[in-house]
Amino acid sequence: VQLQASGGGLVQPGGSLRLSCAASGRTFSTYIMAWFRQAPGKEREFVAAISRTGGSTYYVDSVKGRFTISRDNAKNTVYLQMNSLKPEDTAVYYCAASVRVVLSSQRETYDYWGQGTQVTVSS
């Protein structure tokens, strides 16, 4: 599967952005999907994951209550709605797909990666 992330940009603290990740192919609904992010000089970190049907989600503590992951299997797209953004959310955001059945925050469990989209939170 090929993944194409979009929707990044520059936003002020407290603002919102919605990221999208479009997937190619007919088997999108068979993948667990996730978002990761990587800030300059830091390791890539897990942000959120969603099950194949969208019925289960999993978030890193730092974004709980602010970010929402969702998916539309008819459109082969996963979203990340980001509200109440903070400067520490600044990073390149990557979407990823996994063929496994259990939601995971571990990078090595994801098989396919998108190219990343830059999110900058600054006044």
Side-chain angles (χ1 to χ4, degrees), residues 32 49-59 69-71 73 103:
I32 286 173
I50 189 166
S51 62
R52 299 171 184 176
T53 63
S56 297
T57 56
Y58 177 32
Y59 297 92
I69 188 171
S70 62
R71 68 189 295 162
N73 286 344
L103 295 181

Side-chain angles (χ1 to χ4, degrees), residues 20-106:
S20 299
C21 175
S24 63
R26 302 179 182 178
T27 60
F28 177 74
S29 62
T30 66
Y31 295 101
I32 286 173
M33 299 299 297
W35 289 94
F36 286 74
R37 65 186 180 186
Q38 188 166 17
K42 294 189 176 181
E43 294 288 321
R44 190 172 301 188
E45 68 167 352
F46 171 79
V47 176
I50 189 166
S51 62
R52 299 171 184 176
T53 63
S56 297
T57 56
Y58 177 32
Y59 297 92
V60 67
D61 286 347
S62 60
V63 308
K64 283 181 181 176
R66 300 189 299 123
F67 291 11
T68 302
I69 188 171
S70 62
R71 68 189 295 162
D72 185 338
N73 286 344
K75 295 183 178 180
N76 284 8
T77 303
V78 62
Y79 305 97
L80 185 68
Q81 177 66 44
M82 305 186 294
N83 298 329
S84 302
L85 282 161
K86 304 176 181 179
E88 50 263 44
D89 295 318
T90 295
V92 177
Y93 283 71
Y94 299 88
C95 57
S98 172
V99 301
R100 292 160 178 81
V101 297
V102 177
L103 295 181
S104 171
S105 63
Q106 303 302 306

